[in-house]
Amino acid sequence: MMGFRVMALIMLMAVLMCYLSCVESIVRHYQFNVEKKSISRLCSSKPIITVNGKFPGPTLYAMEDDIVIVKVVNHVQDNVTIHWHGVRQIRTGWADGPGYITQCPIQTGQSYVYNFTLTGQRGTLLWHAHINWQRATVHGAIVILPKRGVPYPFPKPDKEEIIILGEWWKSDVEVVINRAMKSGIAPNVSDAHTINGLPGPAPNCTSKGYTLHVESGKTYLLRIVNAGLNEELFFKIAGHQLTVVEVDACYTKPFKTDTIFIGPGQTTNALLTANQKFGKFIITLSPFMDTIVATDNQTATGIIRYKGTLAFSPTSLTTIPPRNATPMMINFMDSLRSLNSPKYPAKVPLSVDHSLLLAIGIGVNPCATCVNGSRVVAGINNITFVMPSTALLQAHYYGISGVYTDDFPANPPTPYNYTGNPPANMQTNNGTKVYRLTYNSTVQIVLQGTSMVAPESHPTHLHGFNFYVVGNGIGNYDPVNDPKKFNLVDPVERNTISVPTGGWAAIRFRADNPGVWFLHCHLEVHTTWGLKMAFLVENGKGPNQSILPPPIDLPKC
Ligand SMILES: *[C@@H]1O[C@H](CO)[C@@H](O)[C@H](O)[C@H]1NC(C)=O
Ligand SMILES: *[C@@H]1O[C@H](CO)[C@@H](O)[C@H](O)[C@H]1NC(C)=O
Ligand SMILES: *[C@@H]1O[C@H](CO)[C@@H](O)[C@H](O)[C@H]1NC(C)=O
Ligand SMILES: *[C@@H]1O[C@H](CO)[C@@H](O)[C@H](O)[C@H]1NC(C)=O
Ligand SMILES: *[C@@H]1O[C@H](CO)[C@@H](O)[C@H](O)[C@H]1NC(C)=O
Ligand SMILES: *[C@@H]1O[C@H](CO)[C@@H](O)[C@H](O)[C@H]1NC(C)=O
Ligand SMILES: *[C@@H]1O[C@H](CO)[C@@H](O)[C@H](O)[C@H]1NC(C)=O
Ligand SMILES: *[C@@H]1O[C@H](CO)[C@@H](O)[C@H](O)[C@H]1NC(C)=O
Ligand SMILES: *[C@@H]1O[C@H](CO)[C@@H](O)[C@H](O)[C@H]1NC(C)=O
Ligand SMILES: *[C@@H]1O[C@H](CO)[C@@H](O)[C@H](O)[C@H]1NC(C)=O
Ligand SMILES: *[C@@H]1O[C@H](CO)[C@@H](O)[C@H](O)[C@H]1NC(C)=O
Ligand SMILES: [Cu+2]
C-alpha cells in the first residue's frame, strides 16, 4: 500500500515537472470583475471602482512567452477599458486597451476577453484602466517571470515584494476632472499618496502605513510600480541603499542609489539588502516638481521592520528629497543603462528612416464659458488631440473614413525658441491625426518640452514598443551637435520616458509591430488636455507581419 502511494507520488511529480518544463508556453486565465467597493482604510466611505474588490487590484503573474487570457466584466455604470502597460502586443493591438484608440469601451453589463502573448518579455509592468481618470483606482502589477530554468542576471533574491505607488482623492476622480474641464483651470491635486493602497498617517486619517517585514542578511527584490495619475515620485528607505536592476521590464546594468525616481507608468526593480541587525526604518514617498505647478505635498510613509525588533523601538528617519530636486532626478535617469549582455543585447537602430521632432507642452485656448475666458489645453506640435467616437484601430482595419487623418506633422509647424520666453499666442489647433510608418522602419523621436504657460516634465509613454533613450538634455535640442553625444551602445530600453523640465529626450525604435499605437503624456491631466497622438504602423508582407483579425467579442461604440 505504502509502495503504491510512493509510486503514485513519484509519477505525479514526474507529470508535474514535465508540465512545468516540457510545455513551451502556459495559458494563464484571469477574470477581472470591475465593481464598486468601499475601502475603509482610505478614511472615506465613498465606494471606488476596483477590480475584484481590491485596491490595488490583483497581480497578474505569468512567465515569459505565456499566453494571457483576461475576461473583463463591467459591473459599474462607467465605461471600462484595461491597458497592459508595456506589453508589446505584437499583432494583437485589439488587446492593448486605450479607449477609442484600439477599442470601444466595455459598457455596463458587457464583457471582453483580452488575449495576448508575452513574447520575449520578462520583468515588472502594470495594468491599468485606460479611459477617463479610472486608472486612479483600477490598476495592479504584472509580474512576468523568466522562463523556467532561466536565472535573473543578478544574484537571486531571497524574497520578492510588489510595491505599488499611487495617488488618492477624497472626491470622485471623474468629478475632479469634469469640474476642471468645465472651468478651464487645473484640477485639484490628490489628497494623499499611497504605498500598496495604504496612505500612512494623513490629515484627518489615522490609516496605518505599509510595512515590509525583513530578516537581517536577506535580499529582497522590490518590484516598484508608479500607478499614480499626475505625479512623478521619489521613493526612499532610511539607512539602506537600493540596487536598480531593471526598469519597465528591461534589465539594466546594476547601480546603487539612495533614492528611486519614478514617473507614472514606469516600473523599477531594485534589490534591497537587509544589512542592519534590528530596527525600523521609514519608507518615504514624495512628489517631484521643479516648476510652478501644484502638487500633493503629503508624504506617504511606511516602514521596513526587521524580525526581532521590539515594538517600542524608534523608527529611523531620513531626509525627504526636496520637491524640486532636479539634480537627483537627472542623476537617476542618467545612471540607467541597458544591461547589453550577449543574452540581453541592446538592439539600438543605428540608422533612422523617420526622424520626428515633437514639441510637447501646454497651451491656452479661448473658452467663453470658462472661469478666465480661456481653457488650459495641451498638445503635440501645436495639435490638441481630439478623441474620436470610433476606435482608430477599427477605422484603420475596416477602412472607415472620416475618423482620423494621417497628416500628423513630423515637426512643429512654426519653429520657435521652445524653452525660451513663450510666444504671446499660446493657442493650439484641434485634430485627430496619426503619423504613418511602414512596417519595420526605424524611427527617432526627439520629445522637446516647451515652456508655454510653464515648462514641466512630461513622462511620455509609447504603446506597442519599447524604445531606447539615446540622449537627453536641457534647453532646445540641437540637431547638429546633440546627436554626436548619443549613446547608441547601451542606452536604457523602456516604454515611458520622463522628458526633463524645459528640456528634451531622444528615443529610437523599430516599427516592427503593425497596428495603431498611442503616444501620450502619462500625467493623466495632460492626456485629458490633449497631449496625445498615435502612430499607424502598416502591415508588412504576409500574415506574420500583419495585424490579427479582431476578436468576435470586441466591444462596439
Ligand atoms: C487567443 O488568440 C489566439 C490567437 O489568435 C487564438 O488561437 C485563441 O483561440 C484565443 N483564445 C481565446 C480564449 O480567445
Ligand atoms: C477641490 O479642492 C477644494 C479645496 O480643497 C475643495 O473645496 C473642492 O471641493 C475640491 N473639488 C473637487 C471636485 O474635489
Ligand atoms: C485665471 O485668472 C486668475 C486671476 O486672474 C489667475 O490668477 C490664474 O492664473 C488664471 N488661471 C489660468 C489657468 O489662466
Ligand atoms: C480635519 O478635520 C477638521 C475637523 O473636521 C477640519 O476642520 C479640517 O479642515 C480637516 N483637515 C483636512 C486637511 O481635511
Ligand atoms: C506644495 O509645496 C510647494 C513647494 O513647497 C508649494 O509651493 C505649494 O503651494 C504646495 N502645495 C500645496 C497644495 O500645499
Ligand atoms: C532661447 O531662450 C533662452 C531663455 O530665454 C535663451 O537663453 C536662449 O538664448 C534662446 N535661444 C535662442 C536660440 O534664441
Ligand atoms: C498654433 O496654432 C494656432 C491656431 O492655428 C496659431 O494661432 C498659433 O500661432 C500656432 N502656434 C504655433 C507655435 O505654431
Ligand atoms: C477646438 O475644439 C474646441 C472644443 O471642441 C473648440 O472650442 C475650439 O474652438 C476648437 N479650436 C479650433 C482652433 O478649432
Ligand atoms: C527588419 O529590418 C532589419 C534591418 O534591415 C532586418 O534585419 C530584419 O530582418 C527586418 N525584420 C523583418 C521582420 O522584416
Ligand atoms: C510565421 O510565424 C510562425 C510562428 O512564429 C512560423 O512558424 C512560420 O514559419 C512563420 N511563417 C512565415 C511565412 O514566416
Ligand atoms: C460609453 O461608451 C459608449 C460607446 O462609445 C458611448 O456611446 C457612451 O456614451 C459611453 N457612456 C458613458 C457613460 O460615457
Ligand atoms: Cu499607458
Side-chain angles (χ1 to χ4, degrees):
M1 198 61 194
M2 200 60 194
F4 173 73
R5 279 198 192 163
V6 170
M7 273 205 18
L9 195 69
I10 289 169
M11 274 171 65
L12 183 72
M13 278 172 65
V15 168
L16 251 174
M17 280 174 68
C18 186
Y19 177 73
L20 294 173
S21 58
C22 306
V23 179
E24 270 297 304
S25 56
I26 299 171
V27 183
R28 311 269 174 178
H29 286 270
Y30 281 87
Q31 178 154 339
F32 278 19
N33 292 314
V34 180
E35 56 197 29
K36 282 215 162 181
K37 183 85 195 270
S38 291
I39 309 280
S40 60
R41 64 168 191 272
L42 292 172
C43 299
S44 162
S45 56
K46 175 181 63 74
I48 57 171
I49 302 181
T50 66
V51 166
N52 301 348
K54 292 188 171 137
F55 174 71
T59 299
L60 199 154
Y61 283 97
M63 237 183 258
E64 178 174 346
D65 290 347
D66 282 357
I67 295 165
V68 179
I69 308 279
V70 188
K71 181 177 184 183
V72 177
V73 189
N74 181 357
H75 298 288
V76 299
Q77 290 309 305
D78 307 58
N79 283 333
V80 170
T81 74
I82 306 286
H83 169 50
W84 317 92
H85 185 116
V87 172
R88 291 280 324 269
Q89 300 289 4
I90 294 164
R91 300 167 57 222
T92 53
W94 309 109
D96 190 38
Y100 301 105
I101 304 298
T102 60
Q103 69 164 99
C104 297
I106 307 166
Q107 299 183 40
T108 310
Q110 294 181 349
S111 67
Y112 177 47
V113 176
Y114 290 87
N115 176 353
F116 54 89
T117 305
L118 299 165
T119 312
Q121 293 190 274
R122 82 302 298 167
T124 308
L125 293 169
L126 71 156
W127 56 264
H128 62 75
H130 213 311
I131 187 161
N132 304 325
W133 275 28
Q134 207 172 81
R135 83 173 152 92
T137 59
V138 178
H139 60 244
I142 302 176
V143 173
I144 314 170
L145 298 169
K147 280 197 259 206
R148 200 157 290 275
V150 177
Y152 292 130
F154 46 81
K156 190 178 187 297
D158 295 293
K159 216 179 154 219
E160 304 196 354
E161 182 76 3
I162 293 164
I163 298 188
I164 299 178
L165 314 177
E167 284 173 81
W168 156 249
W169 276 259
K170 286 179 192 156
S171 307
D172 181 324
V173 286
E174 304 301 349
V175 174
V176 172
I177 184 59
N178 289 342
R179 203 170 290 177
M181 292 307 279
K182 272 221 179 77
S183 66
I185 57 178
N188 281 2
V189 297
S190 53
D191 294 301
H193 294 105
T194 55
I195 304 176
N196 282 350
L198 297 158
N204 290 357
C205 180
T206 53
S207 166
K208 70 180 171 69
Y210 161 78
T211 301
L212 173 62
H213 295 273
V214 301
E215 267 182 68
S216 182
K218 296 210 161 153
T219 298
Y220 299 80
L221 177 66
L222 308 185
R223 297 177 176 271
I224 307 167
V225 173
N226 184 349
L229 277 198
N230 292 329
E231 289 177 6
E232 296 175 298
L233 299 167
F234 287 124
F235 177 88
K236 234 184 137 178
I237 302 176
H240 293 78
Q241 283 204 315
L242 294 161
T243 304
V244 175
V245 291
E246 181 210 299
V247 293
D248 296 4
C250 299
Y251 292 130
T252 62
K253 292 198 170 75
F255 75 93
K256 281 191 165 37
T257 180
D258 294 327
T259 310
I260 302 266
F261 167 78
I262 186 165
Q266 294 185 326
T267 56
T268 301
N269 280 10
L271 295 168
L272 164 76
T273 299
N275 57 5
Q276 313 279 328
K277 282 231 148 51
F278 293 107
K280 294 185 211 159
F281 298 84
I282 198 164
I283 304 172
T284 66
L285 179 63
S286 60
F288 163 72
M289 178 55 71
D290 57 356
T291 183
I292 58 169
V293 174
T295 47
D296 169 5
N297 295 340
Q298 192 61 48
T299 302
T301 59
I303 56 167
I304 291 218
R305 185 183 176 145
Y306 278 71
K307 194 176 171 182
T309 300
L310 300 172
F312 53 79
S313 65
T315 300
S316 301
L317 303 179
T318 186
T319 51
I320 294 161
R323 197 179 84 126
N324 63 353
T326 313
M328 218 176 252
M329 177 261 195
I330 299 282
N331 182 48
F332 184 87
M333 300 236 302
D334 287 351
S335 302
L336 292 168
R337 293 272 184 287
S338 278
L339 185 58
N340 193 28
S341 64
K343 197 152 196 289
Y344 303 100
K347 295 180 184 162
V348 191
L350 298 178
S351 65
V352 171
D353 300 323
H354 297 264
S355 182
L356 289 81
L357 176 67
L358 301 182
I360 58 175
I362 308 300
V364 182
N365 280 347
C367 167
T369 56
C370 292
V371 172
N372 285 357
S374 63
R375 166 200 298 291
V376 181
V377 295
I380 306 179
N381 283 352
N382 207 30
I383 296 163
T384 293
F385 189 89
V386 176
M387 276 310 214
S389 50
T390 301
L392 298 182
L393 185 58
Q394 272 140 312
H396 164 54
Y397 189 84
Y398 292 110
I400 306 166
S401 59
V403 177
Y404 63 83
T405 55
D406 65 358
D407 56 348
F408 194 93
N411 290 285
T414 1
Y416 63 100
N417 188 344
Y418 307 108
T419 56
N421 292 328
N425 177 2
M426 296 198 275
Q427 288 186 41
T428 64
N429 286 308
N430 297 330
T432 307
K433 295 174 187 291
V434 303
Y435 188 93
R436 192 178 277 274
L437 297 169
T438 50
Y439 180 81
N440 206 31
S441 56
T442 54
V443 188
Q444 173 176 296
I445 305 174
V446 175
L447 298 158
Q448 173 69 62
T450 78
S451 56
M452 293 255 202
V453 184
E456 194 176 339
S457 171
H458 299 285
T460 308
H461 174 45
L462 175 63
H463 291 229
F465 302 93
N466 284 339
F467 49 71
Y468 293 96
V469 186
V470 296
N472 64 54
I474 300 298
N476 296 330
Y477 170 69
D478 175 346
V480 176
N481 293 307
D482 285 327
K484 293 176 193 160
K485 291 175 266 171
F486 281 177
N487 176 2
L488 302 177
V489 178
D490 62 354
V492 68
E493 180 183 354
R494 57 190 324 171
N495 62 55
T496 307
I497 177 67
S498 286
V499 179
T501 302
W504 57 272
I507 62 173
R508 284 191 186 184
F509 65 97
R510 181 177 289 282
D512 57 359
N513 191 9
V516 176
W517 305 110
F518 209 14
L519 174 110
H520 61 100
C521 178
H522 220 274
L523 302 179
E524 204 56 40
V525 55
H526 292 170
T527 311
T528 309
W529 283 344
L531 210 170
K532 49 195 172 189
M533 58 81 73
F535 285 98
L536 189 163
V537 181
E538 292 168 350
N539 285 338
K541 290 191 194 79
N544 276 10
Q545 301 180 356
S546 300
I547 184 156
L548 286 164
I552 45 168
D553 59 344
L554 185 73
K556 292 183 175 62
C557 286

